[in-house]
Amino acid sequence: GQALLGDPKNMEARWLWFSVKSDLDQKAEAELAIIDLLEDYPEHAHFMASYGELMFECRRLEKARALVDESLRLDGRLHLGRRLDALLAMVDGDHARATEQISAMVRDDPDSITSALTLIQQLVDKGRHGDALMLCQELLHHNPTNQLLLSLIVSLRMQSHWLALPLRPLQGS
């Protein structure tokens, strides 16, 4: 707050203000802060993606999608924009787009595998073991020495094997 009083147009101070409001779950104030930033920096892809992330957290998915799309138009390689694009694609049921985006992220930046693992866990939580397995296999293709991915693939294959499925639906009533 003090830095803003000294220079209300200081970009770093305004970004920090947005971040603090967002972290404190003060979404309305965070939204006002990021809108204010975007008025002065409308071509700033990270600010645009951050606004999209805020809208995603507020469950305003259409607005989040529009903001993420705009951030990717401004910078197609922006990690935050790509991650949010993959999350929104998963919410929309477009697992091919999510997988494509995550694969591209990991291909361009092997350190982004953490984001990919988060999405894999979300797929598993939704019972979409096949999609999670497909994403793991794609990631392993780009990271052939990653033991964690190899272990995940083995685990997912075991979970999705027909012997692991419950027999109750096959037994009838």
Side-chain angles (χ1 to χ4, degrees), residues 29-134:
E29 285 121 358
E31 184 176 12
L32 292 174
I34 197 72
I35 288 170
D36 184 53
L37 268 169
L38 283 167
E39 285 176 359
D40 289 340
Y41 304 96
E43 301 291 313
H44 199 292
H46 189 78
F47 291 166
M48 193 71 67
S50 296
Y51 189 14
E53 183 175 40
L54 179 68
M55 292 298 96
F56 182 80
E57 291 169 2
C58 293
R59 310 290 186 260
R60 294 170 61 190
L61 301 181
E62 285 184 30
K63 189 168 189 175
R65 168 50 69 201
L67 291 162
V68 168
D69 288 348
E70 179 62 11
S71 76
L72 290 172
R73 185 192 68 76
L74 294 168
D75 181 357
R77 298 175 55 97
L78 182 67
H79 181 81
L80 178 60
R82 288 170 141 186
R83 183 172 57 81
L84 289 167
D85 184 50
L87 279 171
L88 286 162
M90 283 182 53
V91 168
D92 292 339
D94 188 351
H95 299 284
R97 181 174 176 164
T99 301
E100 177 185 315
Q101 194 62 276
I102 292 301
S103 295
M105 281 173 43
V106 174
R107 193 173 40 253
D108 294 346
D109 177 16
D111 292 335
S112 67
I113 197 153
T114 304
S115 294
L117 293 173
T118 301
L119 290 173
I120 289 167
Q121 183 60 53
Q122 290 173 340
L123 285 169
V124 169
D125 290 347
K126 291 180 178 186
R128 303 186 65 93
H129 297 95
D131 291 331
L133 178 61
M134 186 173 60

Side-chain angles (χ1 to χ4, degrees), residues 13-27:
R14 292 162 67 195
W15 170 252
L16 182 61
W17 185 251
F18 162 75
S19 299
V20 167
K21 290 300 181 179
S22 185
D23 290 346
L24 292 174
D25 211 29
Q26 297 174 356
K27 304 296 187 201

